[in-house]
Amino acid sequence: MHQLEVVTEDANHCRYRQTARVGPLRFVQILELDRGGQGPLVNRVVEGQFHGGTITFDITGDTAAEVTATLDAPLRGPQRLIAGLLRRNVAASLRRALAEDKHDLESGTYR
């Protein structure tokens, strides 16, 4: 399960809630995205289990966009015990989200 909900948004900023499930664990994060600058899109985790972390989307390519997503998150307490499971699950979730975005953009259905 992976859900996104926009909390606040304007032309340059977006604050959203991300809910994800890893096995029996449920994670709720609040992230902020500053869309005003050049370069990679950096989503900062400002509340939740991984606060202080970032998800960075770097878009490159001349004729077709190539997107690289990088997650940097501090692991605390029990999270360290399941670090491998978290890495695999988050990587799979990011791959699915990027594939959905690719489909939406290429099909013309993206708003």
Side-chain angles (χ1 to χ4, degrees):
M1 177 193 86
H2 187 92
Q3 295 176 319
L4 295 176
E5 174 188 0
V6 174
V7 177
T8 61
E9 182 175 31
D10 62 32
N12 293 317
H13 300 90
C14 181
R15 183 177 178 100
Y16 62 96
R17 178 179 296 108
Q18 177 185 49
T19 305
R21 191 171 293 281
V22 178
L25 304 175
R26 183 174 173 256
F27 297 98
V28 179
Q29 312 294 318
I30 301 292
L31 295 97
E32 291 182 349
L33 169 63
D34 180 3
R35 298 183 236 182
Q38 294 290 333
L41 296 172
V42 179
N43 298 263
R44 291 174 184 17
V45 183
V46 295
E47 293 179 33
Q49 294 91 339
F50 301 108
H51 69 276
T54 59
I55 304 172
T56 302
F57 295 95
D58 193 21
I59 303 166
T60 58
D62 293 327
T63 58
E66 288 187 30
V67 179
T68 302
T70 306
L71 172 66
D72 180 27
L75 297 180
R76 298 172 182 91
Q79 295 169 349
R80 284 188 229 140
L81 299 174
I82 60 168
L85 176 63
L86 286 172
R87 280 188 197 95
R88 286 189 300 276
N89 200 289
V90 168
S93 180
L94 282 171
R95 278 193 298 275
R96 281 192 304 275
L98 290 172
E100 287 174 16
D101 288 348
K102 181 181 188 314
H103 174 266
D104 291 345
L105 289 167
E106 290 177 351
S107 68
T109 58
Y110 193 74
R111 291 182 267 157

